[in-house]
Every structure is written in C-alpha cells, then in structure tokens.
Amino acid sequence: MNTLLAAGLMTLQVAFSALALGLLFGVLLGLANTHANPWVRRLAETVSIFLRGIPELLLLFTIYYGGNSLLNFLSPGFPFEISPFLAGCLGLALSFAGYAAQVIAAALKTIPRGQFEAGMALGFSAPQVFMKIVCPQIWQHALPGLGNLWQVLLKDTALVSVLGLGEIMQWAKLEANTSREPFLYFMLAAGVYFLFGTLSQIAIYYKQQAMHKKVSYHV
Amino acid sequence: MFDFFITHFETFKMGVLVSLGLTFSSLFLGLILAAVSTAVLQSRFRLGGFLIRTLNQFLRGTPILVQIYLMYYGLGQFEWIQNSVLWPWLQHPSYCAVLALALNSSAYTTVLLQGAVRAIPNGEMEACKVLGFTPWQMLVRVLLKRAFINIWPAYTNEIIMVFKATSIASTITVLDLMGVTRQLMSETYQTMDCLLIAGVLYLTITYLLSAVLYWIKKRVIVLH
C-alpha cells in the first residue's frame, strides 16, 4: 500500500464488504425486532443495545486480538487466523447492524400485516413474501437512515488502521513519518474521506429521487 | 475473569475516570463553541458564517481519528505553533484529544442549536425587548433555556456518542479506559479478560449515563 490509490481501494473494499455483511445482519436483527415471539424481540433488543453501547474501536479489538487469542487457545497451530481485514469487516458490520436494525424495524412496521397474510394465501412461502413483496417497499423508507449509517461506516473504516490494515490512515501515517509533514498527509487523508462521503451523498440523493418517482407511479 | 478485574481494579478505575473526564470536558467546551457558532451563524457576520459552515462540513465529513491525528501529530509540525504560547498544552495528548472531540461535538451540536433557535417564535424575543429585559437576561433566561430544553433528547445521543468517541483518544497514548485496556493487554497477555472487562465497563457506564439523562429529562425538562 505505497500509493494513495491502493490505500483508497482498500478502504472502499473494507467499507463495501462491511456494508454487505452489515445489511445482512441488520435485516436479520430488524426482523427479530418485529417478530411475533416476545423472547425473540427481547433477545434482538439486547443484542442491539450491546452493539450500540460499545465503542467501535473496542469491538474491532475484541474481534481481532480476542478472536485470534481464542483461536490460539482452542487449537494452537490452527491454520486459520483472523486477518485485520476480516476483523474490520465483521466489527464494522456488527456496529452498522446495531443501528440498521432500528431503521429496518421502523420501515418494516409501515407494511400492513395484511400484505404478509395475502402473500401466504396466494401460495408464496414466507421467505418469498419477504424478498418479493416486503423488501422492495421497505427499501424506500429505509434508504435515508441507511444512507446516514453508510456515511458513518465509511468514516469508521479509518479505525481499522489501528489494527494494521493498509488503508488510507495507514498510508497517511507512514508517509507522515517518513516525510516529517504529518499535517499535509493527514489533510490529504481527510480530503479523500470527505470526497468519498460527498460522492455517497450525491449517489444516495439521486437514488432517492429515482425511487420517489418510481413509487409515485403506483399512487 | 473477575479476579483479574479485582487485581487491576485501580488501573481500570483510573481509566474510567480519565474517560469520563475527557467526555465531560469535550462536551463542555463543545457546547460553548457550538453556542458561539450558532450566534455567529444567526448574526449578519457573513464571512464568519461562511468560515464556520466550512469548518463544520469538514468536521462532520471526516473521521474523528483523522481529526485527532491532525491535532496531535499534525499541529506539532509547524514552527510557529511550537514557539507559541499554547505549545505546553498542545504537546499533551489529553488536551489535543479534548480539543479535537470538542470541535467535532460542536459541529453536530451547532446543527441542533440552530434548529432550536429558529423554533423560538420571534414574538418571544420582541416581547422580551418590550418588557425591558437586558440583552444578557434575554439571552440566558429565554433563548438559551428554551434552546437547551428543545435539543435535550438529541443532545443525550450526542453525550453517549462523545463518550464512545473518547476511546479513540487511546490511539494517541491517552490512558483512558481503552488505553488502559491496551496497556494491560500488552503487559499481561490476557487479552480476552481485558477486552471483556472493558466491554462490560463501557456498557455499564453507557447504561448508567442513559438512565441519568433520562431522569434529567423527566424531572427537569418536562417540567418546563
């Protein structure tokens, strides 16, 4: 990672991988939050509180150092090791899911239960009802909230540099150390993050506009 | 794990106290900065408003880690800062961390305060002037009080977020709870013990903070 380009690509890789995993976890947690069974709801609420109450840095450390220590303890010499990339993705995804669950649960609540029952009556299985009927509708409600969480995720990828991953902050630290101009390089890093954030904002804005047009056809 | 906690109780206690100290210092400074920023933004001082808006965009759009590194490693690069009167303070990581966190918090709090100030009807301020309030009385008894009560629910979120963000100060060698955990991890090699204890402590403090803030909301805010 000796160029800004390679470092930037690594940042985007971590961010998008964490987003994919985070959406998966978030949807699962959101579904659990709105489940009929109160025990499932309580479990989901506890998990959410845990994921929201713990600092992201601590979560990353626990998955990386704690996870590797656990693997070593369980079977020394085990070939699999949690890499900083994997720890970063998992940690950021879990943190994302803690907040995304709320957004998705709120979006799910806007869908009348009758739609689910109608879908089942028409012969869809429960997963099919979710994928084909519910999901497209909640996407529009959830997008603003999830868009904000994505911006937070993008900025939190900087924390993975503390685990040693070769992304933008790591590049900036190395360059700053060798060139004795830390202010310049950290400002450059800040600029790159700001650029990513602004591009994301533009993309989400246009996606929202497109969705709004699409949905209003059916009104 | 429990006996590990008992053995190193003093260390963890110091870490928690440093974390809480960082949190409240940053929040206090950040609130003052936010109040000043809101005042400037509401005034007719166009250049100041532009500068503050740009600074807030930067503070909201970049990671806190970058801001802390800029403050600690970045500022030390310049000769004129090293020779200035602030250098004895800016050298210390805790002061840099507080400054960076305060600036970051002020960026978000300014948004909240602006909304709250706009929500106060003009009629109230005019009524104050007619009743003969001094500007200072107007500011404190009416404007600040109303604005603060308005933003309280959102500000409690900000308080929790700043508390979690103080963990990032550990990357510039501040010995807050996270820093103390890392130090113990490297000294005793009992990684899971340290990390789990730190997790429990963070969760407990977050829960207690939320409970206190909720109590404040019920007893103080709602009554007004």
Side-chain angles (χ1 to χ4, degrees):
Chain A
M1 46 111 275
N2 32 27
T3 63
L4 182 53
L5 192 62
L9 276 173
M10 179 59 94
T11 298
L12 287 176
Q13 275 179 311
V14 176
F16 281 114
S17 313
L19 178 68
L21 269 179
L23 279 175
L24 177 66
F25 292 150
V27 165
L28 288 175
L29 212 52
L31 281 174
N33 256 338
T34 51
H35 201 265
N37 187 340
W39 289 108
V40 173
R41 281 204 302 270
R42 272 180 215 136
L43 181 64
E45 192 60 40
T46 313
V47 172
S48 286
I49 289 178
F50 173 77
L51 290 176
R52 287 200 303 259
I54 189 173
E56 292 83 15
L57 194 61
L58 185 61
L59 192 57
L60 288 174
F61 266 59
T62 310
I63 295 179
Y64 184 58
Y65 292 111
N68 276 332
S69 161
L70 208 64
L71 283 177
N72 255 345
F73 173 74
L74 288 179
S75 55
F78 194 62
F80 179 72
E81 193 187 60
I82 300 182
S83 71
F85 184 84
L86 181 62
C89 284
L90 271 176
L92 293 174
L94 285 171
S95 178
F96 180 87
Y99 293 98
Q102 301 290 87
V103 173
I104 292 178
L108 279 173
K109 284 192 186 132
T110 65
I111 311 281
R113 180 138 182 91
Q115 289 201 8
F116 180 75
E117 289 162 5
M120 299 287 271
L122 282 170
F124 286 108
S125 69
Q128 274 179 322
V129 169
F130 182 72
M131 293 296 291
K132 290 191 188 295
I133 299 178
V134 175
C135 239
Q137 292 182 62
I138 64 168
W139 191 231
Q140 201 215 8
H141 288 289
L143 191 60
L146 292 178
N148 278 338
L149 293 174
W150 159 251
Q151 306 249 18
V152 174
L153 178 66
L154 210 49
K155 291 189 287 181
D156 281 344
T157 57
L159 294 174
V160 191
S161 73
V162 183
L163 299 182
L165 186 66
E167 44 84 70
I168 295 181
M169 282 311 289
Q170 193 75 327
W171 169 86
K173 259 198 338 202
L174 250 107
E175 293 289 334
N177 275 339
T178 56
S179 73
R180 299 247 172 268
E181 284 188 340
F183 191 79
L184 172 67
Y185 285 101
F186 287 131
M187 268 307 202
L188 276 175
V192 175
Y193 282 111
F194 191 73
L195 179 70
F196 285 161
T198 313
L199 288 175
S200 302
Q201 227 171 348
I202 296 176
I204 292 173
Y205 175 72
Y206 278 116
K207 180 78 181 154
Q208 253 184 308
Q209 298 293 85
M211 246 184 221
H212 195 67
K213 265 191 237 168
K214 205 166 125 181
V215 169
S216 58
Y217 271 143
H218 300 280
V219 167
Chain B
M1 183 182 93
F2 198 58
D3 35 295
F4 186 83
F5 180 55
I6 301 290
T7 327
H8 298 273
F9 180 72
E10 281 303 313
T11 323
F12 279 116
K13 189 179 85 169
M14 276 314 294
V16 168
L17 288 175
V18 170
S19 279
L20 289 174
L22 283 175
T23 309
F24 291 115
S25 316
S26 310
L27 282 170
F28 183 66
L29 187 57
L31 199 56
I32 294 177
L33 288 172
V36 169
S37 305
T38 313
V40 171
L41 285 171
Q42 292 289 109
S43 75
R44 280 165 295 185
F45 187 22
R46 297 280 291 274
L47 180 63
F50 174 72
L51 286 174
I52 288 186
R53 263 193 295 270
T54 318
L55 182 65
N56 283 357
Q57 280 284 70
F58 175 78
L59 290 171
R60 285 202 303 259
T62 58
I64 300 183
L65 188 65
V66 179
Q67 292 165 26
I68 285 187
Y69 278 4
L70 271 172
M71 198 66 70
Y72 186 56
Y73 296 120
L75 286 185
Q77 171 192 336
F78 298 114
E79 290 279 325
W80 57 273
I81 288 196
Q82 285 184 16
N83 295 334
S84 82
V85 75
L86 292 171
W87 186 235
W89 278 321
L90 287 177
Q91 259 184 329
H92 288 295
S94 351
Y95 291 122
C96 290
V98 168
L99 196 55
L101 285 170
L103 280 169
N104 195 320
S105 172
S106 80
Y108 290 101
T109 314
T110 307
V111 177
L112 294 179
L113 276 178
Q114 262 194 305
V117 163
R118 283 206 197 116
I120 298 177
N122 268 339
E124 278 211 21
M125 304 310 288
E126 286 167 12
C128 287
K129 271 192 213 148
V130 164
L131 285 169
F133 278 39
T134 69
W136 179 254
Q137 275 179 320
M138 245 168 60
L139 183 71
V140 173
R141 296 188 81 140
V142 178
L143 190 68
L144 280 184
K145 187 167 135 183
R146 284 282 294 253
F148 199 64
I149 290 176
N150 195 326
I151 67 169
W152 185 251
Y155 195 62
T156 56
N157 277 340
E158 182 65 25
I159 294 177
I160 305 284
M161 291 216 308
V162 169
F163 174 65
K164 292 198 326 180
T166 57
S167 66
I168 301 182
S170 69
T171 59
I172 53 170
T173 74
V174 174
L175 284 178
D176 68 321
L177 180 53
M178 190 70 211
V180 151
T181 309
R182 288 168 78 169
Q183 198 181 48
L184 278 177
M185 263 166 56
S186 62
E187 279 174 12
T188 67
Y189 287 97
Q190 310 231 40
T191 38
M192 275 320 274
D193 281 339
C194 293
L195 290 168
L196 283 177
I197 291 173
V200 167
L201 282 173
Y202 268 114
L203 279 173
T204 316
I205 296 176
T206 307
Y207 181 74
L208 288 174
L209 258 181
S210 303
V212 167
L213 295 172
Y214 184 69
W215 179 86
I216 292 181
K217 176 174 130 175
K218 295 209 86 162
R219 296 299 298 275
V220 176
I221 305 293
V222 173
L223 284 181
H224 286 77

